[in-house]
């Protein structure tokens, strides 16, 4: 029996994997090493991590600089209770995040992941109104959004197959449509209507790109209009930058494309460059001050055992060092340009409904002929990509690429060739190279 079989079968005996139907899932692929954008399987095969390991990895796997900083922290202080105590890594990371975040953010509350960062933001928003003695209960969110898997985060996420077993346990949310191009007026009207009804505590949104919904994209102008309505009606705003943060959209935060700024921001995923689990919720002084009181009941009673973990904060600091390097900025822009060149050609291929791009995020939507058929096809194209040595996880009929910023040109070529191969598999038609001097619209 090979070691690979042993690892995978040992896994099968004891592990329950996320988002996996354990009855029918293929054996997991044991990964024994990572370097740059590559993952090395135990059987010697390599994979280009074109999904940045669930959108967390920024600078490549097992980055030596992050590893060194984490090791130093581990030898100094691995953890300390974060109520009543503090430490340099948490303070410095908060100081640096506040410098980078959209203007006005002045406090950082740490937690463990994206879902908990969202829970904290929702609790801050709800309690803000209670602390002020004002009755405001409603939360507004985009209909197709995804904010995480804990109960509050599920409540503000789409009522989808993911959340169906729990619907009756989720608090009520006012959903508005995503303002994709052409839909803007409708969404603005829906928000206006809720705002006029009153009683709205907060609006939570994924800025510019809804990840799990299928990399659904909309423009900064309409988000600014939505935020303006919220400001007019004193509705608190929460930008969920868990996926979009740290350069993914081409700017440090998606909120950097906007004129107006949110009251709160949620962060995770790229916060540690993909090294450690860490979540952060930032807020402005207005929110923070509503919790200051001689009455202890106005405290934000939330915390996790590992809140502000020093090792995770050290990874965050190291990742920020790398993110702010000129060469990382150039690399982000290079990926953006390469994606743009690929989209220009790929959007005219048969059965390609749309190619969307914002910064380093690329999504291809194929024409779907019924969901069940397509779900089956999703499995086929996922396996096809793996055979090509590329990790791409389709979201239904949508395939997306979110690479680590260190991805090389030959690795990007491999990803694009795999997308072309998928298209061929779906349509049965060969990829055609559109003429370079073309009258087709950009
Ligand atoms: C926008 C957004 N918010 C929150 C989350 C939840 O993050 P986590 O998986 O770390 O709990 C995700 C995860 O994909 C996300 O995309």
């Amino acid at each position: 029996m090979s070691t690979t079989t042993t690892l995978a079968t040992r896994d099968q005996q004891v592990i329950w994997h996320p988002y996996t139907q354990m009855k029918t899932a293929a054996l997991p692929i044991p990964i024994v090493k990572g370097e740059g954008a590559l993952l090395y399987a135990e059987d010697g095969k390599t994979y280009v991590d074109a999904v940045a390991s669930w959108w967390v990895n920024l600078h490549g796997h097992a980055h030596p600089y992050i590893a060194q900083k984490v090791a130093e922290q581990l030898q100094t202080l691995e953890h300390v209770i974060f109520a009543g105590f503090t430490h340099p890594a948490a303070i410095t990371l908060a100081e640096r995040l506040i410098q980078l975040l959209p203007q006005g953010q002045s406090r950082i509350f740490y937690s463990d992941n994206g879902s908990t960062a969202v829970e904290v933001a929702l609790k801050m928003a709800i309690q803000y109104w209670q602390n002020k003695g004002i009755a405001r209960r409603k939360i507004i969110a985009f209909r197709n959004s995804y904010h995480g898997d804990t109960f509050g985060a599920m409540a503000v996420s789409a009522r989808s197959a993911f959340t169906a077993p729990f619907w009756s346990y989720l608090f009520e949310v006012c959903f508005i449509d995503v303002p994709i191009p052409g839909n803007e007026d409708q969404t603005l009207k829906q928000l206006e209507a809720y705002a006029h009804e009153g009683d709205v505590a907060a609006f939570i949104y994924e800025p510019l790109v809804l990840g799990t919904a299928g990399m659904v994209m909309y423009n900064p102008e309409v988000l600014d209009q939505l935020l303006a309505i919220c400001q007019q009606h004193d509705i608190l705003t929460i930008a969920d930058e868990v996926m979009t943060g740290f350069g993914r959209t081409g700017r440090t935060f998606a909120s950097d494309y906007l004129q107006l700024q949110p009251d709160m921001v949620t962060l995770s995923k790229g916060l540690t460059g993909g090294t450690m689990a860490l979540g952060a919720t930032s807020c402005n002084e207005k929110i923070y001050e509503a919790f200051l009181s001689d009455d202890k009941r106005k405290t934000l009673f939330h915390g996790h055992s590992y809140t502000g973990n020093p090792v995770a904060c050290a990874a965050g600091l190291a990742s920020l060092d790398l993110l702010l390097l000129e060469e990382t900025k150039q690399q982000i822009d290079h990926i953006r340009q390469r994606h743009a060149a690929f989209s220009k050609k790929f959007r005219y291929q048969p059965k390609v409904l749309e190619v969307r791009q914002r910064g380093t995020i690329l999504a291809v939507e194929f024409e779907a002929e019924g969901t069940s058929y397509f779900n089956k096809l999703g499995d086929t194209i996922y396996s096809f990509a793996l055979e090509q040595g590329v990790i791409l996880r389709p979201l239904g009929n949508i395939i997306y690429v979110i690479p680590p910023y260190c991805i090389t040109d030959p690795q990007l070529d491999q990803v694009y060739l795999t997308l072309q191969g998928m298209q061929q598999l779906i349509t049965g038609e060969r990829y055609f190279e559109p003429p370079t001097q073309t009258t087709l619209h950009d």
Side-chain angles (χ1 to χ4, degrees), residues 48-51 339 342 362 385 388-392 399-403 407-422:
V48 177
D49 188 357
V51 296
H339 278 354
F342 174 81
L362 175 74
Q388 309 303 308
V390 178
I391 305 178
L392 287 168
I399 322 284
Y400 64 87
V401 181
I402 298 188
I407 194 166
T408 63
D409 273 328
Q411 288 165 348
L412 265 179
D413 290 338
Q414 195 180 337
V415 174
Y416 297 144
L417 272 174
T418 303
L419 286 172
Q420 289 172 11
M422 280 180 178

Side-chain angles (χ1 to χ4, degrees), residues 55 113-116 118 146-148 206 212 240 242-243 268-269:
W55 321 342
N113 54 61
S115 303
T116 54
V118 167
Y146 176 79
H147 296 287
E206 293 169 80
T212 306
D240 180 352
V242 166
M243 192 277 284
S268 187
K269 293 195 184 277

